[in-house]
Amino acid sequence: MTQDLQHRDLTDKILKAFYKVYNALGYGFLETVYEKSLLLELRNSGLRAERQQPIKVYYAGNLVGDYYADLIVEGVIIIEVKIADAICEAHIAQLRNYLRATEIEIGLLLNFGPEPKFVRKYFSNENKNLSEKIRDYPPHPPHPLGNQH
């Protein structure tokens, strides 16, 4: 199995849950409704999933910000939930940046738009500059320099 297909079974379970939620709720709710519903469906299927997990972003060894992952499944897949008319390059770039900022290599962009759509991205840790980042997830311990301004 090639690296970009790692966790294929897990990805398949997540996508099954995505379509189950979409088929039950349809289009038109707020993003948080889909996020919470997907979280319930993932947990009901026996997966370990967490919602709105903080991820610290470092640059040159300094904490420069953080973001909150919509969902993280089994500690190995980041899910970004959208409710857009269509998936656009900005959504994909956002997911790619989330993968770049963590040791997580697989990301799913799930769009609960007028038609359910998804994008799966793989970003190998070998291609990331993780040497200056605190490498444990979750959660990150406080950075030794503190929150620098």
Side-chain angles (χ1 to χ4, degrees):
M1 172 168 45
T2 63
Q3 285 288 30
D4 63 337
L5 294 179
Q6 69 176 332
H7 303 299
R8 183 65 177 254
D9 292 342
L10 183 54
T11 300
D12 290 346
K13 288 180 184 178
I14 293 168
L15 292 176
K16 181 178 178 182
F18 164 60
Y19 284 108
K20 187 171 183 178
V21 170
Y22 188 90
N23 289 335
L25 296 178
Y27 170 65
F29 288 101
L30 294 175
E31 190 175 294
T32 57
V33 170
Y34 295 109
E35 234 178 74
K36 290 176 183 179
S37 299
L38 185 57
L39 178 67
L40 289 172
E41 191 57 44
L42 292 168
R43 288 179 174 171
N44 287 342
S45 66
L47 298 175
R48 182 173 48 93
E50 300 299 326
R51 183 176 169 269
Q52 293 298 317
Q53 291 297 296
I55 303 290
K56 303 290 183 195
V57 179
Y58 292 88
Y59 174 77
N62 295 294
L63 178 62
V64 294
D66 35 27
Y67 77 92
Y68 292 86
D70 289 342
L71 296 164
I72 296 181
V73 180
E74 297 292 333
V76 296
I77 297 179
I78 292 177
I79 297 175
E80 179 62 22
V81 174
K82 295 293 182 197
I83 52 167
D85 287 336
I87 294 174
C88 68
E89 185 54 40
H91 300 144
I92 295 169
Q94 180 183 19
L95 179 62
R96 193 177 302 120
N97 286 337
Y98 292 171
L99 293 174
R100 194 176 278 136
T102 67
E103 285 191 324
I104 296 175
E105 294 181 305
I106 299 170
L108 289 172
L109 174 60
L110 305 179
N111 187 23
F112 288 87
E115 294 182 37
K117 300 281 184 185
F118 72 92
V119 172
R120 182 184 190 275
K121 286 293 176 186
Y122 173 78
F123 196 140
S124 170
N125 283 334
E126 294 173 7
N127 295 325
K128 300 176 190 180
N129 182 12
L130 294 172
S131 61
E132 295 179 337
K133 296 177 183 156
I134 297 173
R135 298 182 61 124
D136 59 340
Y137 170 82
H140 292 284
H143 191 272
L145 299 176
N147 192 357
Q148 301 293 311
H149 296 284

